[in-house]
Amino acid sequence: MTTINLATVSEAEPSTRANPFPGADTYSWTRAFSEALALATGLPPLVTDVIAAYVIRPKRYLTKARTETFHRLRPGVIAKDERTGLHILSVNMHGFAGAPTEYNERVRSAFASPAQLDASPVRVLPRLTTGSGPNGTALPFVTTAEPVEPTVLNNLLGIMDGALTAADSKRLYDLAEDMTVFGQTNRTMHVPFVRRITENHQGAPVIRKVVDLVAIKGSNRSRARLKLHGLTARNIAFGVPTGMLDLPDPKPGQPAPPEYIADPVIWVPAFADTLRDAFASTRHRLHDTAQAAAEVATVQMQIIVGTDNPAEFHNTVFDPNRADHRRPQLDYPLAEKSTSDMRAVLREAKAAGRITEPVRAWLAGEDSEPDALPGSVTDARDRRDRALLGMAFPKEPGHDREVARVLGEPERYYDSREENVTLRLRMLSAAIAEGYRTRWNPRLLDGTLYSSFIAKRGTLADRPDWRTALDMSEADKTQLSDFLVTRGLHWLAEHGMVEADRGSADGQRGPGRRSGVSARNALLLKPVQTIALMREIARANDAGIQPRQIDETGDPVDGTVADRIWFSVTFPKTGRAKKKVDDRPSASDSTPPQQPKKSPEQVLLDAQLRLVMSLSSELPQAFLAALAVAREAIAAGAAVGKPVLADLPSYSVEVMEQALTRLKRDLGAMQAGLADMKGETEVTIESATEQVANAEDEL
């Protein structure tokens, strides 16, 4: 690494603008601030030293009595939020302080929930817990229950970055670009997060700790500030390149600095001085970076450093974030709002002693099931689903009033209740989706409960397990309707057979895109086929495969897949029945009509559906059948100790190779043809396989 010559920098032409970068403060005042903060909060030096490193002019926040030899924080530097019980430090800090967090309510659905039994570990957020001191005393910082592998953390931060980019794209402007002109107008709120990262140093396992001031409020703003300073959230966890720091040359005999420096106590003051010098010199390699970050060179920040309830700190610390995202100013995705509502309900139930912390974390999708019972995938999901049903629509009046209070519902005697039932249904559906392989639109359950369900003390608690519920449904259609609302519609949505409409007329045009009420009503018309389909889905989920289609007698059809098109054809949308005015017979002609010839538009629609079915289902199934034969041949050869094709005539091998070559070429032509079909009326797809087949027919 080439170290910048500071003498050359100082002789460069200075900027005509006042330098907004203050540089690092003196070590003695930074150390004094750290000690005063530790005295006021009980935070360990590991945390207070990092916070102090980011503070600009720490002297202004300190005071010392004549009789004391140490400094204390001035009154008002830490204030208590009476609503949340959190103690908040308000100070001026370097603009590159603070980072976005993967635990932000806005992006939680981008990660896999540990409630999903087949969730990929590299997509599951580690469980958060309150930090503690050497004697086990709870302290006001957060950490993970277990150390995290570097590759896992790196992947999680990448998922977070992608999700924040997608969420930020909903703005009508570029946030980072906006900050270069207007700076930051609203303060962000942060909490110390002690990341524990499992690493291997010279063959020995080591748990490295790094303090990250993650954003409770303002993840996108924090990310934008880091971007303007040339940093990312990964730099905070895995180090800032030394090429970005003006470090002194090592003395003779001393080792060169590492390629990356992750200790904020070292890189923060070095980076602060580097930015100050870079802004002043057009020759500095970071001059453009400093110019871009000038308006956010320093920012007012809030850091949560205390709580009235230390043991619950890791839960209560995110309350300001949950409040913002449940009733947001920006247009946050419905699934994020709804799951945030459920987490708030579960938090309140835990605080009231209705559930334990392990149960709360399980139902919130933050941890696996405590004391899990043996059984299938469907059994495990069903236990969580039924527990969430009882949390959203509880049986006990006191518990229901608690849910209503958290969700801001009016008293029961108010007339308007439909929107509150809808809110709870969406909250329930979104929370249940956390335990499945795919998440669906929480609008799926809209309208499936009557509008006065809450006012009339309706409850979804104490539902029977799925097997019992389906057995009961065979004799009682009302039981089948209840099962479809509480579980069946979600099972269909996971496999893409039903997709909730988007609340518009255009939203229901595609096959399978319909309201949950429409799907339920269609299913109730064919109870035998419906119950068999539900049992087939359960079997397929337990086996990790796709469910088969069900015929009218309730038998599964081997070699088929129950997909959206099949479902739409088998369970078509039903019109809403009109009430008769009286019992007078209709005067219209009831003679069965002769079916007309299909219009060109209908012919096109049929062809479209057949094309989708052929390419999305039949073609993959044909390949899977050929693949199964190939694997069977390999196993047979291995059983006798011979290569599969050892004794086969050479022309047979050539025939297979030529067929595969033609198919590969044809698949490319088909893919190109699909692209052409989107914008052209006349498309030609040449096929080598077709040419060979035609030539053989002519012989």
Side-chain angles (χ1 to χ4, degrees):
M1 182 197 74
T2 302
T3 304
I4 193 77
N5 190 321
L6 297 181
T8 303
V9 171
S10 63
E11 294 172 358
E13 181 181 351
S15 172
T16 57
R17 181 183 179 186
N19 197 327
F21 295 95
D25 210 276
T26 61
Y27 173 78
S28 59
W29 283 115
T30 299
R31 179 67 177 271
F33 182 92
S34 173
E35 294 172 348
L37 181 61
L39 181 65
T41 63
L43 285 167
L46 171 70
V47 174
T48 59
D49 282 355
V50 171
I51 295 176
Y54 287 106
V55 176
I56 296 171
R57 305 295 177 259
K59 178 180 178 180
R60 76 180 78 172
Y61 303 110
L62 301 175
T63 184
K64 184 173 69 173
R66 292 182 179 179
T67 57
E68 294 178 332
T69 59
F70 52 88
H71 289 85
R72 296 181 183 272
L73 295 179
R74 291 183 180 276
V77 176
I78 296 179
K80 177 182 174 181
D81 184 331
E82 296 297 337
R83 181 176 59 87
T84 62
L86 298 172
H87 305 172
I88 300 173
L89 171 74
S90 296
V91 287
N92 199 33
M93 307 188 84
H94 294 295
F96 52 86
T101 174
E102 60 272 39
Y103 294 89
N104 187 293
E105 293 287 303
R106 192 179 187 186
V107 299
R108 289 289 288 271
S109 65
F111 300 91
S113 167
Q116 300 173 13
L117 300 185
D118 57 351
S120 171
V122 297
R123 298 189 64 87
V124 174
L125 291 174
R127 183 167 63 87
L128 281 183
T129 185
T130 299
S132 61
N135 58 356
T137 304
L139 296 176
F141 66 90
V142 295
T143 187
T144 51
E146 300 294 336
V148 182
E149 294 286 340
T151 53
V152 173
L153 178 57
N154 187 55
N155 189 67
L156 294 175
L157 293 178
I159 295 172
M160 172 200 71
D161 195 60
L164 285 175
T165 297
D168 203 30
S169 66
K170 298 182 182 298
R171 301 177 191 267
L172 299 179
Y173 59 91
D174 183 275
L175 182 57
E177 185 176 294
D178 187 73
M179 281 186 170
T180 63
V181 179
F182 301 105
Q184 179 177 292
T185 55
N186 296 321
R187 287 182 295 182
T188 55
M189 181 181 292
H190 302 256
V191 66
F193 182 6
V194 178
R195 296 189 181 275
R196 299 190 297 151
I197 306 172
T198 302
E199 297 179 343
N200 191 300
H201 292 191
Q202 298 179 346
V206 174
I207 297 177
R208 180 172 63 85
K209 297 179 180 179
V210 61
V211 178
D212 194 351
L213 300 181
V214 297
I216 297 300
K217 298 174 68 174
S219 265
N220 269 315
R221 280 172 282 161
S222 299
R223 189 175 73 125
R225 288 202 313 266
L226 286 178
K227 179 181 178 181
L228 291 176
H229 286 88
L231 301 174
T232 68
R234 285 188 171 103
N235 292 133
I236 309 303
F238 298 109
V240 174
T242 52
M244 297 181 67
L245 308 174
D246 290 344
L247 299 173
D249 292 328
K251 296 179 180 179
Q254 291 184 341
E259 187 177 358
Y260 292 90
I261 299 176
D263 185 355
V265 173
I266 297 176
W267 74 259
V268 167
F271 194 51
D273 285 342
T274 301
L275 289 171
R276 180 192 58 197
D277 295 339
F279 182 86
S281 172
T282 57
R283 301 179 185 177
H284 199 288
R285 66 192 183 286
L286 295 185
H287 178 73
D288 291 342
T289 298
Q291 290 288 326
E295 293 298 328
V296 288
T298 64
V299 290
Q300 281 287 326
M301 288 179 58
Q302 295 179 327
I303 304 175
I304 301 172
V305 293
T307 177
D308 290 348
N309 188 0
E312 283 293 294
F313 183 72
H314 64 286
N315 281 326
T316 58
V317 73
F318 285 99
D319 280 349
N321 185 238
R322 294 187 180 106
D324 280 357
H325 291 80
R326 289 174 57 216
R327 303 292 181 267
Q329 296 175 350
L330 296 177
D331 184 22
Y332 292 94
L334 177 61
E336 309 293 2
K337 300 176 189 176
S338 300
T339 51
S340 193
D341 278 339
M342 180 58 86
R343 282 192 284 269
V345 167
L346 294 173
R347 274 253 305 110
E348 189 67 21
K350 195 265 180 180
R354 301 183 190 278
I355 56 176
T356 63
E357 169 59 19
V359 171
R360 184 210 65 79
W362 169 51
L363 296 181
E366 298 170 3
D367 206 351
S368 55
E369 182 181 7
D371 303 321
L373 300 174
S376 67
V377 171
T378 305
D379 292 335
R381 286 178 170 178
D382 194 58
R383 286 193 296 272
R384 183 173 180 270
D385 293 354
R386 287 184 286 128
L388 285 169
L389 291 170
M391 297 303 299
F393 295 92
K395 184 177 182 180
E396 302 84 0
H399 191 184
D400 186 74
R401 287 193 295 271
E402 178 183 286
V403 175
R405 185 175 65 254
V406 171
L407 298 179
E409 295 176 357
E411 295 295 331
R412 286 185 179 273
Y413 53 79
Y414 279 46
D415 292 333
S416 178
R417 300 298 301 182
E418 183 175 1
E419 67 272 15
N420 303 125
V421 176
T422 299
L423 174 64
R424 290 203 197 186
L425 283 171
R426 292 176 179 179
M427 173 185 76
L428 173 66
S429 188
I432 286 176
E434 293 279 321
Y436 287 71
R437 294 183 181 90
T438 57
R439 293 180 174 90
W440 49 79
N441 185 341
R443 288 188 176 91
L444 183 65
L445 297 186
D446 285 10
T448 54
L449 297 180
Y450 55 87
S451 59
S452 58
F453 190 81
I454 298 175
K456 294 183 178 180
R457 300 197 183 282
T459 177
L460 296 183
D462 301 329
R463 288 304 190 264
D465 66 87
W466 70 272
R467 289 188 177 86
T468 303
L470 286 177
D471 290 343
M472 295 168 61
S473 297
E474 292 181 338
D476 188 348
K477 192 173 182 179
T478 60
Q479 292 293 332
L480 179 57
S481 178
D482 182 87
F483 178 83
L484 292 175
V485 171
T486 57
R487 280 154 287 184
L489 291 178
H490 291 154
W491 291 13
L492 294 169
E494 183 189 24
H495 289 280
M497 283 182 252
V498 174
E499 180 183 355
D501 66 84
R502 298 296 191 254
S504 65
D506 290 339
Q508 298 189 41
R509 288 184 178 175
R513 183 169 291 177
R514 58 207 290 188
S515 69
V517 173
S518 169
R520 178 197 61 186
N521 292 344
L523 288 160
L524 290 176
L525 294 176
K526 299 180 178 180
V528 172
Q529 207 168 1
T530 296
I531 294 172
L533 175 60
M534 293 299 124
R535 287 175 173 149
E536 170 61 17
I537 291 175
R539 182 200 68 83
N541 286 341
D542 293 341
I545 59 178
Q546 293 295 314
R548 296 169 293 181
Q549 297 175 9
I550 304 296
D551 64 21
E552 293 182 354
T553 65
D555 293 326
V557 181
D558 290 335
T560 64
V561 174
D563 57 13
R564 182 182 300 182
I565 295 177
W566 170 83
F567 182 85
S568 298
V569 173
T570 306
F571 301 97
K573 297 178 183 179
T574 58
R576 184 173 296 178
K578 296 182 179 179
K579 295 182 180 179
K580 289 187 177 181
V581 177
D582 54 35
D583 293 331
R584 181 179 61 82
S586 173
S588 61
D589 190 346
S590 60
T591 304
Q594 182 179 354
Q595 294 301 304
K597 183 180 179 180
K598 292 184 178 181
S599 68
E601 288 76 15
Q602 290 174 318
V603 173
L604 173 60
L605 179 59
D606 289 345
Q608 289 173 335
L609 294 178
R610 290 199 308 272
L611 179 61
V612 173
M613 175 67 78
S614 177
L615 295 186
S616 66
S617 179
E618 294 173 357
L619 185 59
Q621 289 297 324
F623 173 76
L624 291 177
L627 181 62
V629 173
R631 288 173 173 168
E632 183 180 351
I634 293 172
V640 297
K642 290 184 178 181
V644 177
L645 305 180
D647 300 327
L648 205 63
S650 60
Y651 69 85
S652 298
V653 178
E654 292 174 0
V655 167
M656 291 189 292
E657 291 176 341
Q658 291 171 1
L660 290 174
T661 300
R662 289 192 296 270
L663 286 172
K664 182 178 179 182
R665 187 186 312 161
D666 287 352
L667 287 174
M670 179 68 77
Q671 189 170 20
L674 288 179
D676 293 340
M677 290 179 199
K678 298 176 183 178
E680 300 179 20
T681 56
E682 295 185 7
V683 178
T684 301
I685 302 177
E686 299 292 342
S687 170
T689 303
E690 183 181 48
Q691 293 174 2
V692 172
N694 291 339
E696 291 175 349
D697 291 340
E698 293 174 358
L699 295 178

